[in-house]
Amino acid sequence: MNALKDRLIARIARLGPLSVADYMTECLLHPTDGYYTTRDPLGRAGDFITAPEISQMFGELLGLWLAQVWMDQGAPSPFVLAELGPGRGTLMTDALRATRVVPGFHAAMRLHLVEASPKLRAVQGDRLAAYAPVFADGLADLPAGPLFLIANEFFDALPIRQFQRQAGGDWSERMIGTDGESLIWGLSPPAPIAALATLGDIAAGQIVETCAPAEALAGEIGRRIATQGGGALIIDYGARDSRGDTFQALAAHAHVDPLAAPGQADLTAHVAFGPIAQAALPARASAICPQGVFLERIGMTPRAEKLARSLGGAALQSHIAAHKRLTHPDEMGHLFKVLALTPEGSPLPPALDPGPP
Ligand code: SAH
């Protein structure tokens, strides 16, 4: 029994196939049957685990990085501290604990959380109650003023479309149709697509992905930061460009068929950072940096050693494993990338090279 699947099959039979973007939106955010609307998917007992859930060091170091960018811009007061998709609120809890030592930071900070899931809003509201967070549906809801923003594993949940190059150079969109009982893959008739026309290096049969909502969001963030000051730190798995099929479904920490059980698995795609940096103009984009390099540059090893002094036995082993998991190139260190946006003319953000990506 899967009510969402039945409804999607009925809808496709009536109105025709869905793009991957339409499918992702329905599966992730449907008001009653969506993946994020109905559960807390994070942690060992859930479907996936994220960096802040692996170690407190992640949120601590990111919080101190943001506070440094705030100080570099003259410590504006008040300022908006915003997180996109805060999950269980762990990253922000750790960031705010670490920044208690930064003079004036907490007094000037107004905390705003952009979150679609009522379930996760409740968790975040509990964990961060001391900071009186204000919930928002999107960037447009945030008050004016300097904006310091963080987004970890948020952009990967934004709906993508997939296009496959055809022999003549035109593109077919990968669509989701039905045989009456199951959801099945199909291709739209080939057509030219202006936005993809410049991609000369894609062979026939290859797939590229586009994410218009990510670019629109980056544009909003970039315009705000360029005109009102602030900085954004975007972290996710991906690369500069989109190449190949990266659409994936995770349930209980394993890859599953994304069409098998709509609303029951997390659906994501790799983030293409190049188009995000481009869309964020006139804000200045940093070069894209692998997460492991970034975390080491902002002091993860000294922080890890300090924490290790009070640990022993299994707790020490798991602390060492967490450090490795976040930074080692074979684990999250290379696949995950970091991109910063700051105003043109402001000091360069700590630990990141100047762009273009
Ligand atoms: N940043 C957290 C959680 C990542 S999971 C961490 O690192 O642990 C993705 C988060 O984004 C969840 O909180 C999810 O509910 C939220 N989310 C996904 N799509 C969203 C959208 N379109 N609008 C607002 N929040 C969204």
Side-chain angles (χ1 to χ4, degrees):
M1 260 301 287
N2 181 322
L4 183 58
K5 184 171 181 176
D6 293 344
R7 273 204 305 279
L8 288 175
I9 288 174
R11 171 174 158 180
I12 292 167
R14 223 159 38 88
L15 296 168
L18 298 174
S19 67
V20 178
D22 290 339
Y23 181 71
M24 279 181 87
T25 304
E26 287 294 318
C27 292
L28 293 178
L29 299 174
H30 186 279
T32 55
D33 297 316
Y35 178 74
Y36 280 116
T37 18
T38 53
R39 73 196 71 207
D40 169 1
L42 288 141
R44 278 175 230 291
D47 291 318
F48 60 93
I49 191 156
T50 57
E53 305 294 335
I54 291 170
S55 169
Q56 68 182 76
M57 296 186 287
F58 189 78
E60 291 171 347
L61 293 168
L62 265 44
L64 292 169
W65 182 94
L66 266 190
Q68 183 64 52
V69 177
W70 174 75
M71 287 189 285
D72 287 345
Q73 288 182 31
S77 175
F79 73 93
V80 176
L81 178 61
E83 184 174 357
L84 307 182
R88 284 186 179 160
T90 307
L91 191 165
M92 193 50 82
T93 303
D94 294 334
L96 290 173
R97 187 182 57 254
T99 51
R100 273 202 295 242
V101 297
V102 179
F105 189 74
H106 280 214
M109 177 269 289
R110 308 284 178 268
L111 182 60
H112 291 259
L113 306 175
V114 176
E115 175 56 64
S117 159
K119 274 236 152 64
L120 290 174
R121 276 189 185 199
V123 178
Q124 295 154 16
D126 277 353
R127 300 260 327 257
L128 293 160
Y131 306 101
V134 177
F135 288 99
D137 292 326
L139 220 67
D141 299 339
L142 304 182
L147 170 67
F148 293 84
L149 177 144
I150 205 149
N152 184 60
E153 288 210 42
F154 176 82
F155 279 79
D156 63 69
L158 297 179
I160 57 146
R161 293 172 68 183
Q162 293 188 317
F163 298 93
Q164 187 186 54
R165 185 136 212 166
Q166 302 303 312
D170 283 351
W171 300 86
S172 289
E173 181 162 9
R174 281 190 94 204
M175 306 291 286
I176 294 157
T178 182
D179 59 7
E181 275 172 22
S182 310
L183 295 166
I184 55 172
W185 285 108
L187 283 174
S188 74
I193 301 216
L196 305 180
T198 53
L199 297 178
D201 60 331
I202 310 285
Q206 278 194 314
I207 287 172
V208 295
E209 297 170 341
T210 62
C211 189
E215 292 178 38
L217 181 60
E220 269 186 90
I221 297 171
R223 275 192 299 280
R224 276 227 22 175
I225 286 176
T227 55
Q228 301 177 47
L233 192 63
I234 299 169
I235 305 178
D236 228 306
Y237 39 96
R240 193 181 52 161
D241 298 310
S242 149
R243 290 289 183 275
D245 171 16
T246 72
F247 184 49
Q248 65 172 28
L250 274 183
H253 302 273
H255 286 273
V256 295
D257 173 358
L259 304 190
Q264 309 285 312
D266 186 37
L267 300 179
T268 63
H270 284 202
V271 172
F273 284 91
I276 288 179
Q278 185 67 33
L281 287 168
R284 177 185 60 200
S286 70
I288 293 162
C289 184
Q291 171 174 298
V293 173
F294 178 70
L295 290 175
E296 289 303 344
R297 284 183 185 170
I298 61 175
M300 182 161 262
T301 292
R303 179 68 185 132
E305 283 167 358
K306 179 145 190 265
L307 285 172
R309 274 182 232 136
S310 59
L311 297 172
L316 179 61
Q317 288 317 309
S318 101
H319 172 63
I320 292 167
H323 181 186
K324 180 164 176 261
R325 186 154 174 204
L326 292 179
T327 56
H328 196 280
D330 293 340
E331 302 205 41
M332 295 169 77
H334 188 73
L335 176 62
F336 281 73
K337 308 288 193 302
V338 178
L339 173 76
L341 304 172
T342 44
E344 203 64 69
S346 67
L348 288 171
L352 292 169
D353 298 322

